[in-house]
Structures are given as structure tokens and as C-alpha cells.
């Protein structure tokens, strides 16, 4: 299932993330692609909000840790692989143990990690120009992510508010 959305400001991206977080199911993997400043971390923050993470406002890119964990309705792993130099460095992080479990994993800069990721995942690709508008291509690729994307689209301040 594919969905092309536009958000006009960070609040709309946050709302979309919150709708995804509210719709999330155990084992959901979300990949976030788009350059620096695209809005990936804003979306991750929204997912934390939607999962009921008490400190969702303080979700930032995990600069040094690469990986932060938050407790919400489900456990949320926020992973940012930007600083990772080579695919081999990933092996030491133990990220493969997280996948296929019952937690939610949100992964910024997943490019080096494709071979480890489940086929069933929610992929979000950002593109943008000079303004605050962001075009988001959201694609699900299996029963779990399909279900989550359907539930997201039905949320009152989820996808439908920003449908292109
Ligand atoms: P990334 O994690 O992709 O590098 P961030 O989410 O950290 O990017 O930062 C995105 C920046 O862009 C923030 O400063 C945010 O306020 C700004 N911004 C402007 N418009 C939007 C939008 N529509 N959605 C998300 N962020 C936006
Ligand atoms: Mg980021």
C-alpha cells in the first residue's frame, strides 16, 4: 500500500507521526529516508507521542548512542545510523536482535542496514525544497505494515488531513 502525503509545517509531521504511533502494532519497523533536516526526527518524535511515551518532547536524534529506547504502550527503539561509516560496523550494535521482536523500531538512515531489515516494514521517504512543505511517500510492504498504514489513514489527524 502506498500513500503520498504533504505536511506544511513540523506540527503536521508530528501529527502524522502520532497517528502512526497510535496505530503501531508489536514488531513494527519504520524506516525514515531523506537528507539532513528532512523531518525524520520530527516524525520519530510524533511516533513516540502516539505510543504514549511520557517524555516524547525530548526525543532527539540519538547522536552518540545511535540507539535510544523509550517506554510507551510498546517499547520504542529510535535508531539513527547517520554516523555509521560502514555496513560492518552495524554488526556490533545488536540491532538484528531487536527486529522480529515485539517492540517498535524506527530507523533513520537505514541505507546500510537493508539486508537485516524485515521485508514487512513501513517506509517513509521525505523530499522537500525551500519551504516548510515536505512531501512524504509512505509505503507498507506486508501484512503488519499494511494494517498499521490503514489504521494511520483512518486517524482523525493522521494521513487524511494532509492527503495530497
Ligand atoms: P532529520 O532528522 O531528517 O535530519 P529533523 O527532524 O531533525 O530532521 O529536523 C527537521 C527540521 O525541519 C526541524 O528544524 C523542523 O522544525 C523543520 N521543518 C520545517 N518544516 C517541516 C515539516 N513540514 N516537517 C518536519 N520538519 C519541518
Ligand atoms: Mg534526525
Amino acid at each position: 500500500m502506498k500513500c503520498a502525503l504533504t505536511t506544511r509545517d513540523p506540527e503536521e509531521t508530528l501529527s502524522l507521526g502520532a497517528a502512526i504511533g497510535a496505530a503501531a502494532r508489536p514488531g513494527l519497523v519504520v524506516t525514515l529516508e531523506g537528507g539532513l533536516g528532512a523531518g525524520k526526527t520530527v516524525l520519530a518524535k510524533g511516533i513516540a507521542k502516539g505510543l504514549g511515551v511520557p517524555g516524547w518532547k525530548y526525543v532527539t536524534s540519538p547522536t552518540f548512542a545511535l540507539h535510544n529506547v523509550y517506554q510507551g504502550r510498546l517499547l520504542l527503539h529510535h535508531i539513527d545510523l547517520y554516523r555509521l561509516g560502514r555496513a560492518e560496523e552495524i554488526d556490533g550494535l545488536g540491532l538484528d536482535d531487536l527486529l522480529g521482536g515485539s517492540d517498535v523500531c524506527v530507523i533513520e538512515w537505514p541505507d546500510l542496514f537493508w539486508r537485516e531489515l524485515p521485508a514487512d516494514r513501513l517506509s517513509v521517504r521525505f523530499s522537500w525544497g525551500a519551504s516548510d512543505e515536505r512531501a512524504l511517500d509512505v509505503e507498507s510492504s506486508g501484512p503488519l505494515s499494511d494494517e498499521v498504514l490503514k489504521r494511520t489513514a483512518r486517524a482523525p489527524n493522521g494521513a487524511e488531513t494532509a492527503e495530497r
Side-chain angles (χ1 to χ4, degrees):
M1 187 177 158
K2 270 190 186 187
C3 203
L5 308 171
T6 303
T7 66
R8 284 164 298 188
D9 52 43
E11 287 68 37
E12 282 192 359
T13 301
L14 191 76
S15 295
L16 176 63
I20 294 172
R25 289 283 167 88
L28 177 70
V29 174
V30 183
T31 55
L32 305 179
E33 294 169 82
L36 273 180
K40 301 182 295 296
T41 299
V42 172
L43 194 78
K45 191 182 286 215
I47 292 173
K49 184 182 184 192
L51 278 168
V53 171
W56 64 267
K57 279 186 184 163
Y58 306 105
V59 170
T60 50
S61 270
T63 313
F64 294 106
L66 297 170
H67 174 197
N68 285 335
V69 186
Y70 302 94
Q71 182 70 63
R73 171 173 65 80
L74 300 167
L75 208 60
L76 169 65
H77 299 274
H78 182 205
I79 295 150
D80 187 331
L81 301 177
Y82 180 64
R83 288 173 56 259
L84 223 58
R86 293 170 304 124
E88 295 75 55
E89 292 178 34
I90 287 177
D91 298 342
L93 296 174
L95 296 183
D96 35 344
D97 293 339
L98 301 178
L99 303 164
S102 53
D103 301 341
V104 173
C105 293
V106 174
I107 308 175
E108 299 189 37
W109 301 97
D111 316 51
L112 288 173
F113 202 49
W114 292 128
R115 68 190 161 91
E116 310 284 349
L117 293 173
D120 185 347
R121 60 180 178 251
L122 192 65
S123 146
V124 182
R125 296 186 193 88
F126 289 79
S127 44
W128 83 104
S131 72
D132 280 357
E133 206 163 273
R134 302 292 194 263
L136 290 84
D137 284 309
V138 186
E139 189 175 354
S140 58
S141 52
L144 175 65
S145 54
D146 281 345
E147 165 74 11
V148 170
L149 185 52
K150 269 186 214 135
R151 283 157 51 92
T152 301
R154 284 200 299 265
N157 53 2
E160 74 191 19
T161 56
E163 200 99 40
R164 225 188 266 157

